[in-house]
Amino acid sequence: MIGGSQAFLIVAVVAVCTFITRVLPFALFGRKDPPEWVLYLGRILPPAVIAILVVYCYRNVAMNAWPFGLPEFIAMAAVVALHVWKRNNLISIGVGTVLYMVLIQVVFV
């Protein structure tokens, strides 16, 4: 059980860390344009992280036993189609998650 002083310390540490992560870019770069390498990382890291997450999520899909990865790939196709259609991350990921849960708990039992 967490006591009152321990809870206060946890909240204080989280607040300080959040403040530091918000202030640090301005302290390092000021109001001027960031260096080219920072802009490069800003362009290249989001797609790289998504690719790593896709590989991580599909690494244990059993392609040699029923249902042969069908729920995963149906949900993935729904996420991609919804994202291409609506361009909304929350809708595509939310619907894909709900669809996957329905598929594994109701359809492919």
Side-chain angles (χ1 to χ4, degrees):
M1 183 96 183
I2 295 178
S5 60
Q6 190 175 11
F8 175 77
L9 285 175
I10 291 171
V11 170
V13 168
V14 169
V16 168
C17 291
T18 301
F19 179 76
I20 289 172
T21 58
R22 299 294 185 195
V23 169
L24 193 60
F26 294 104
L28 290 176
F29 304 119
R31 298 258 182 219
K32 62 183 177 182
D33 292 333
E36 188 59 37
W37 64 271
V38 173
L39 296 174
Y40 171 74
L41 288 176
R43 282 190 312 269
I44 200 72
L45 282 180
V49 169
I50 295 299
I52 290 170
L53 284 172
V54 168
V55 169
Y56 177 78
C57 289
Y58 287 96
R59 76 188 188 288
N60 292 329
V61 174
M63 301 298 288
N64 56 353
W66 176 255
F68 306 107
L70 284 173
E72 290 87 355
F73 291 108
I74 291 170
M76 178 182 61
V79 168
V80 170
L82 277 170
H83 190 71
V84 168
W85 178 39
K86 290 290 188 180
R87 295 276 182 211
N88 187 321
N89 292 336
L90 291 176
I91 290 175
S92 58
I93 293 172
V95 170
T97 302
V98 170
L99 176 63
Y100 176 70
M101 288 296 137
V102 168
L103 288 173
I104 65 169
Q105 293 181 10
V106 177
V107 178
F108 296 101
V109 179

